[in-house]
């Protein structure tokens, strides 16, 4: 194991938080309101809560990156040090805590080993030369430990999502921390990589008595922790072990959040949006999305890389079809070829019988597209984005800022979307300033503003809190039941359960296609008679990965 992390003195509570309060300038309501909890040394705790609950604010305050409100009586003690007492204490805790923010600052044009060496150099400069002689020796140990030893010379930008997170964790461990604060380290990471990342951290805790607070939006992940801190609207609303909860853990968490923040699904209004407007003709055979021999090859000769290999799909009207696979499996490439964003090397795709290679403009007009990464206009307000996309989809001639040239149907539809997705309170807020969950709501609103018969959703709920995800899927199911065909990629295996059928992709090829129950039955055994969707994903991928090796 990592010898440089050994030898810490064991005590009871390594983190003590008392009445932690933080109000940002211009806000009437505190981002954190008198939050208190203790964390014992060598324990792992999950930090869970909806968007805007205060999770990131809490982690940043534990690192002394943010100060509490004056005269609030807030106190944080880290390993016996009161961190807000004076500046000297700030320096002390920097050598105790390893903090990995949501968007960890890897340099994508540097290799894996160059990134690690840079963090070592920065740490030497920060701490002084004393005590830093063994880091260079420990680099290979860290990389071996994280499963990255064979990727030392690969550019960080060319790593899969899971590998990037493992490299970020290695860079964080350079500081030899007693405490790890990880802000949603598994967002956008496939279940196999999430499992591997969790195993790495668990081994650190076991072998080195490190304490961990792991912020997460995956409730199946949070359920595996020894302790859960649940935040809502800046307040701690639950603290305890998931094992102490009676019944379904996800239902328990969502119901607790609803007590603080309810948002009823407005089915009647959404019905008014999908009941009229442009729908397109549905082919007689009922197939709305089709792929024949869809292949994408990058490079030539020894540098040849097959990202997608002879993909075949046939998706019916009103079907929710899931495209699943680990990071780097080729699902995003397939997804982008299907909707015309990437030209295939071979084969073709069609939307409502219109081939993408023959009439791309008409084929694209039938679909709404929600990108994996927020792709709206950050400097435009919510309503300006909706007006703009209404114009792009032919519902107005110009004037996206004022909406003056929108048709009455378009104006009514936009007003209903603002209401359905609870965006009215943010309608004049710039898109870049929205909480993540509301950014996703706006993205979906813009994707369906023209009432398309086909909807492409690329990891639409990545990083979104559990309640918002459930509300989001209520809306998607409603659209599907009213005839909209939905193609979705996701790393949430509970979301895969909403799909009518799933295609599991690995190394650019389709492994298996079928209903969620069909995939789960493939891995059913005496040891695991009732496998979950995550069990099926992990076992099928690992089995295929072993065969490839």
């Amino acid at each position: 194991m990592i010898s440089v992390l050994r030898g810490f003195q064991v005590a009871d509570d390594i983190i003590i938080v008392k009445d932690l309060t933080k109000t940002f300038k211009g806000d009437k309501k505190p981002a954190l309101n008198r939050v208190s909890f203790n964390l014992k040394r060598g324990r792992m705790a999950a930090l869970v809560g909806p968007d805007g609950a205060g999770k990131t604010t809490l982690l940043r305050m534990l690192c002394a990156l943010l100060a509490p409100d004056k005269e609030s009586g807030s106190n944080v003690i880290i390993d016996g040090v009161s961190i807000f007492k004076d500046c000297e204490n700030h320096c002390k805790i920097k050598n105790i805590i390893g903090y990995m923010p949501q968007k960890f600052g890897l340099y994508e044009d540097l290799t894996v080993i160059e990134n690690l060496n840079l963090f070592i150099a920065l740490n030497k400069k920060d701490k002084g030369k004393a005590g830093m002689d063994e880091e260079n020796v420990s680099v290979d140990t860290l990389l071996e430990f994280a499963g990255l030893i064979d990727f030392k010379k690969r550019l960080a930008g060319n790593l899969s999502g899971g590998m990037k997170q493992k490299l970020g964790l290695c860079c964080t461990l350079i500081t030899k921390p007693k405490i790890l604060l990880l802000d949603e380290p598994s967002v956008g990471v496939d279940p196999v990589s999430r499992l591997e990342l969790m195993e790495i951290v668990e081994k650190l805790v076991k072998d080195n008595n490190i304490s961990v607070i792991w912020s997460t939006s995956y409730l199946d992940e949070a359920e595996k922790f020894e302790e859960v801190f649940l935040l809502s609207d800046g307040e701690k609303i639950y603290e305890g072990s998931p094992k102490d909860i009676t019944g379904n853990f996800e239902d328990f968490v969502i119901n607790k959040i609803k007590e603080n923040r309810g948002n009823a699904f407005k089915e009647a209004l959404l019905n008014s949006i999908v009941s009229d407007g442009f729908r397109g003709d549905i082919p007689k055979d009922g197939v709305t999305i089709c792929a024949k021999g869809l292949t994408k090859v990058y490079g030539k000769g020894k540098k040849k890389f097959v990202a997608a290999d002879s993909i075949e799909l046939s998706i019916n009207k009103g079907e929710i079809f899931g495209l699943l696979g680990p990071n780097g499996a080729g699902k995003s490439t397939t997804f982008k070829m299907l909707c015309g964003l990437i030209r295939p090397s071979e084969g073709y795709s069609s939307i409502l019988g219109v081939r993408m290679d023959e009439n791309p403009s008409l084929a694209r007009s039938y679909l709404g597209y929600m990108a994996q990464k927020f792709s709206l206009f950050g400097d435009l307000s919510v309503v300006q984005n909706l007006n703009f996309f209404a114009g792009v989809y032919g519902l107005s001639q110009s004037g996206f800022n004022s909406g003056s040239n929108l048709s009455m149907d378009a104006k009514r539809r936009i007003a209903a979307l603002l209401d359905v997705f609870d965006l009215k309170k943010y309608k004049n807020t710039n898109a870049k300033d929205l909480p993540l969950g509301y950014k996703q709501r706006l993205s979906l609103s813009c994707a369906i503003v023209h009432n398309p018969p086909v909807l492409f959703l690329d990891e639409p709920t990545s990083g979104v809190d559990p309640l918002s995800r459930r509300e989001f899927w209520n809306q998607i199911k409603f659209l599907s039941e009213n005839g909209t065909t939905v193609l979705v990629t996701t790393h949430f295996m509970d979301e895969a359960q909403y799909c009518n059928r799933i295609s599991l992709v690995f190394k650019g090829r389709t492994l298996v296609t079928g209903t969620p129950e069909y995939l789960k039955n493939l891995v059913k055994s005496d040891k695991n008679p009732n496998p979950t969707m995550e069990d099926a994903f992990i076992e099928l991928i690992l089995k295929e990965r072993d065969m490839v090796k």
Side-chain angles (χ1 to χ4, degrees):
M1 225 343 252
I2 306 175
S3 59
V4 296
L5 297 176
R6 292 192 180 279
F8 298 129
Q9 183 181 357
V10 177
D12 286 333
D13 294 323
I14 193 165
I15 298 177
I16 301 172
V17 176
K18 180 67 174 175
D19 293 332
L20 195 59
T21 302
K22 178 65 180 178
T23 306
F24 289 102
K25 186 178 181 180
D27 290 350
K28 295 180 180 179
K29 191 174 182 180
L32 285 178
N33 186 22
R34 301 183 67 82
V35 171
S36 300
F37 66 86
N38 290 16
L39 180 68
K40 293 188 180 301
R41 191 183 301 273
R43 296 289 294 270
M44 293 181 66
L47 184 62
V48 182
D51 299 304
K55 302 187 297 296
T56 297
T57 300
L58 173 59
L59 293 181
R60 288 173 63 82
M61 292 186 78
L62 294 181
C63 301
L65 294 174
L66 293 173
D69 291 355
K70 292 181 179 179
E71 301 179 358
S72 64
S74 300
N75 194 16
V76 175
I77 298 174
I78 304 289
D79 200 28
V81 176
S82 182
I83 67 173
F84 298 120
K85 190 174 182 180
D86 55 48
C87 293
E88 185 179 342
N89 288 348
H90 291 190
C91 297
K92 289 180 181 177
I93 66 158
K94 287 176 68 176
N95 300 331
I96 298 173
I97 291 176
Y99 173 51
M100 185 172 164
Q102 283 185 28
K103 294 181 180 178
F104 191 75
L106 292 175
Y107 292 87
E108 299 206 342
D109 55 347
L110 296 182
T111 64
V112 168
I113 191 66
E114 286 170 343
N115 266 282
L116 273 170
N117 285 336
L118 175 61
F119 275 85
I120 288 171
L122 291 173
N123 197 37
K124 279 185 177 180
K125 183 177 180 180
D126 202 30
K127 288 178 61 177
K129 193 173 182 180
M132 294 297 298
D133 295 335
E134 54 187 331
E135 269 79 358
N136 288 327
V137 179
S138 70
V139 165
D140 280 352
T141 308
L142 280 170
L143 292 175
E144 185 74 46
F145 179 64
L148 293 173
I149 193 68
D150 295 330
F151 302 94
K152 290 171 65 172
K153 296 183 179 181
R154 180 173 294 189
L155 291 177
N158 294 336
L159 296 174
S160 69
M163 287 181 177
K164 286 180 180 178
Q165 295 302 81
K166 291 175 186 176
L167 177 55
L169 182 60
C170 287
C171 292
T172 304
L173 292 174
I174 288 295
T175 60
K176 301 184 294 184
K178 296 182 181 182
I179 300 168
L180 276 178
L181 303 178
L182 308 176
D183 198 354
E184 304 211 22
S186 54
V187 164
V189 177
D190 68 82
V192 174
S193 297
R194 281 203 288 135
L195 181 64
E196 291 172 346
L197 192 65
M198 179 76 80
E199 288 175 348
I200 289 171
V201 175
E202 285 178 341
K203 189 162 179 59
L204 283 171
V205 171
K206 181 180 178 181
D207 291 359
N208 303 282
N209 211 41
I210 291 176
S211 306
V212 179
I213 297 180
W214 177 309
S215 172
T216 181
S217 56
Y218 296 89
L219 291 185
D220 59 332
E221 187 173 86
E223 193 172 8
K224 298 172 184 176
F225 283 77
E226 300 166 289
E227 197 165 3
V228 170
F229 303 133
L230 179 58
L231 298 182
S232 181
D233 279 342
E235 299 179 351
K236 187 191 73 179
I237 59 174
Y238 176 78
E239 176 183 353
S241 169
K243 295 178 182 178
D244 297 335
I245 293 170
T246 303
N248 183 274
F249 179 74
E250 180 175 338
D251 289 339
F252 171 84
V253 170
I254 288 175
N255 288 333
K256 277 283 187 182
I257 295 172
K258 278 183 175 179
E259 293 175 7
N260 283 39
R261 190 205 74 179
N263 180 38
F265 172 46
K266 301 171 183 178
E267 184 174 300
L269 275 172
L270 191 57
N271 185 53
S272 72
I273 297 170
V274 302
S275 62
D276 60 6
F278 172 70
R279 300 296 298 169
D281 299 323
I282 307 302
K284 293 180 180 179
D285 61 3
V287 176
T288 55
I289 304 174
C290 180
K292 295 290 185 182
L294 212 55
T295 302
K296 184 62 181 179
V297 179
Y298 293 100
K300 295 180 181 179
K302 292 183 179 180
K303 294 185 178 180
K304 179 180 176 180
F305 172 67
V306 181
D309 188 1
S310 303
I311 301 294
E312 302 273 335
L313 289 176
S314 181
I315 305 173
N316 300 319
K317 177 183 177 182
E319 192 171 19
I320 301 177
F321 192 94
L323 199 59
L324 271 61
N327 298 106
K331 61 184 184 299
S332 290
T333 300
T334 301
F335 190 89
K336 290 176 181 177
M337 285 193 291
L338 286 169
C339 58
L341 292 177
I342 293 178
R343 186 186 296 273
S345 304
E346 296 178 21
Y348 68 89
S349 64
S350 65
I351 307 292
L352 272 68
V354 180
R355 285 181 51 157
M356 194 65 73
D357 57 343
E358 294 178 347
N359 196 341
S361 296
L362 179 59
R364 289 193 192 108
S365 72
Y366 292 146
L367 61 88
Y369 176 70
M370 185 174 169
Q372 179 178 352
K373 294 183 179 178
F374 185 63
S375 58
L376 302 179
F377 295 93
D379 290 325
L380 294 184
S381 70
V382 166
V383 73
Q384 286 171 342
N385 268 285
L386 284 164
N387 290 341
F388 175 80
F389 277 90
V392 167
Y393 288 123
L395 303 182
S396 70
Q397 295 299 317
S398 61
F400 65 86
N401 281 326
S402 64
S404 58
N405 290 337
L406 291 175
S407 68
M408 290 304 296
D409 283 343
K411 290 179 179 178
R412 178 185 57 78
R413 189 177 291 114
I414 288 172
L417 286 167
L418 289 170
D419 204 351
V420 168
F421 294 105
D422 196 30
L423 288 166
K424 288 174 92 173
K425 59 190 175 185
Y426 290 114
K427 70 177 185 177
N428 295 319
T429 301
N430 285 353
K432 66 182 179 183
D433 298 324
L434 293 172
L436 179 57
Y438 284 91
K439 286 181 179 178
Q440 301 300 80
R441 297 181 196 196
L442 177 58
S443 292
L444 179 59
S445 299
C446 290
I448 66 173
V449 68
H450 61 306
N451 205 16
V454 178
L455 194 56
F456 281 69
L457 308 174
D458 195 3
E459 296 191 27
T461 59
S462 182
V464 176
D465 70 79
L467 180 55
S468 295
R469 286 202 294 120
R470 183 171 286 192
E471 291 170 349
F472 180 92
W473 275 98
N474 283 338
Q475 293 148 358
I476 295 304
K477 286 192 294 180
F478 183 84
L479 291 170
S480 170
E481 289 164 1
N482 282 271
T484 302
T485 305
V486 180
L487 178 66
V488 61
T489 67
T490 181
H491 283 138
F492 290 96
M493 292 300 102
D494 58 333
E495 291 186 353
Q497 290 288 153
Y498 294 119
C499 297
N500 301 108
R501 286 189 300 145
I502 291 168
S503 183
L504 188 57
V505 180
F506 183 67
K507 296 287 186 182
R509 297 184 298 106
T510 301
L511 292 186
V512 61
T513 300
T515 65
E517 289 304 314
Y518 175 75
L519 268 65
K520 287 189 285 187
N521 285 336
L522 290 177
V523 301
K524 187 179 289 186
S525 65
D526 292 338
K527 291 184 178 179
N528 190 3
N530 298 300
T532 64
M533 194 60 227
E534 181 158 340
D535 294 334
F537 181 99
I538 291 172
E539 188 167 334
L540 290 169
I541 292 297
L542 289 180
K543 181 179 179 181
E544 184 67 18
R545 193 163 73 177
D546 291 341
M547 290 176 64
V548 171
K549 288 180 180 180

